[in-house]
Amino acid sequence: TVSGNLSAFDLVLAADWSSRWLSGEFRDVTVSDWQRWPTLAGLNGQIQLQVGQGNLRLSAPVLQVDWPEMFAYPFQLSLPECQAELQLGSQWQIVLQSCHLFNDDLSAQGDVLIAASPGRPAVDINVEVLRLDAASLNPYWPEGVMPATVTDWLRTNLLAGQLSGGRLQVHGDMDDWPFSNGVGRFEAWAAFENGSLSFAPGWPELKQVDITA
């Protein structure tokens, strides 16, 4: 389901009703109810397509993300203008390059490809995490692919630390998500400096340590 405001809309159709030209601007768009994908709200942008190919510009001062199958809590991000290449038709695909997302807790930048596949689409996501505070990680643990015992331990025992490097990579057909059958790849890692870690109740807290999760 897609809802929002559309303006400056221009559509040219061929004799067979196929699209020859499409352009327009949109504001406050919400994308929801698309199976296991997140609900996104607050998208603005411009689209320009000619004979099924073109580009899309996206931005969102406040992008609301709600993905209960992946994250325990909804959260908000800012998205400066991001460029995307579009190809429509039976072999449709969307390529987003060097898109930057940030809020007070984190900053990340990367590339995303979403392509047609029987059933749900295939994805290739490669994102570098530029800034992250370990004390603020609570909403961002990917619980859809991490055991509850692991996320619970991390929430309780990873107390502080500043990110020195991190990356998120997802590659595969979303029909196979969360890739428990060994087809596809999900990999997320983060390294923290000057961290504080508590292994178990009653144990002394470790401070100023380097941590990789």
Side-chain angles (χ1 to χ4, degrees):
T1 302
V2 179
S3 62
N5 301 312
L6 182 66
S7 62
F9 182 69
D10 187 11
L11 174 63
V12 178
L13 298 176
D16 61 357
W17 296 97
S18 62
S19 172
R20 307 298 295 175
W21 174 265
L22 171 65
S23 64
E25 300 178 1
F26 53 89
R27 295 188 61 81
D28 298 323
V29 167
T30 297
V31 182
S32 61
D33 297 332
W34 53 333
Q35 300 176 342
R36 297 185 180 183
W37 289 70
T39 292
L40 304 175
L43 284 167
N44 304 323
Q46 297 177 328
I47 186 170
Q48 188 175 88
L49 294 174
Q50 185 172 9
V51 196
Q53 295 185 343
N55 59 76
L56 176 69
R57 288 190 289 175
L58 295 171
S59 65
V62 180
L63 178 64
Q64 301 179 43
V65 181
D66 187 7
W67 195 357
E69 292 204 10
M70 179 59 68
F71 302 105
Y73 309 100
F75 51 87
Q76 296 181 340
L77 297 163
S78 292
L79 172 67
E81 186 170 293
C82 175
Q83 300 282 345
E85 296 179 0
L86 302 180
Q87 178 178 313
L88 302 184
S90 60
Q91 297 300 314
W92 65 265
Q93 70 174 23
I94 304 172
V95 181
L96 299 97
Q97 297 181 328
S98 300
C99 292
H100 182 204
L101 292 164
F102 68 93
N103 59 19
D104 290 342
D105 301 326
L106 61 86
S107 175
Q109 180 171 303
D111 304 327
V112 177
L113 183 147
I114 306 172
S117 178
R120 298 186 180 96
V123 301
D124 190 353
I125 301 172
N126 186 9
V127 175
E128 181 183 7
V129 185
L130 306 172
R131 171 176 53 83
L132 190 62
D133 184 350
S136 303
L137 274 172
N138 197 40
Y140 310 111
W141 293 114
E143 302 195 20
V145 293
M146 294 178 67
T149 53
V150 175
T151 54
D152 289 346
W153 189 91
L154 289 168
R155 282 197 172 97
T156 303
N157 298 289
L158 182 56
L159 306 177
Q162 295 298 317
L163 182 84
S164 58
R167 188 165 294 275
L168 168 68
Q169 294 181 315
V170 184
H171 178 79
D173 194 313
M174 294 307 289
D175 277 326
D176 299 317
W177 181 260
F179 306 141
S180 55
N181 57 3
V183 178
R185 181 179 68 179
F186 175 89
E187 181 179 342
W189 68 271
F192 296 91
E193 297 176 338
N194 299 318
S196 295
L197 189 66
S198 173
F199 276 104
W203 285 45
E205 181 181 322
L206 298 177
K207 297 184 177 181
Q208 296 184 333
V209 296
D210 294 339
I211 303 166
T212 299

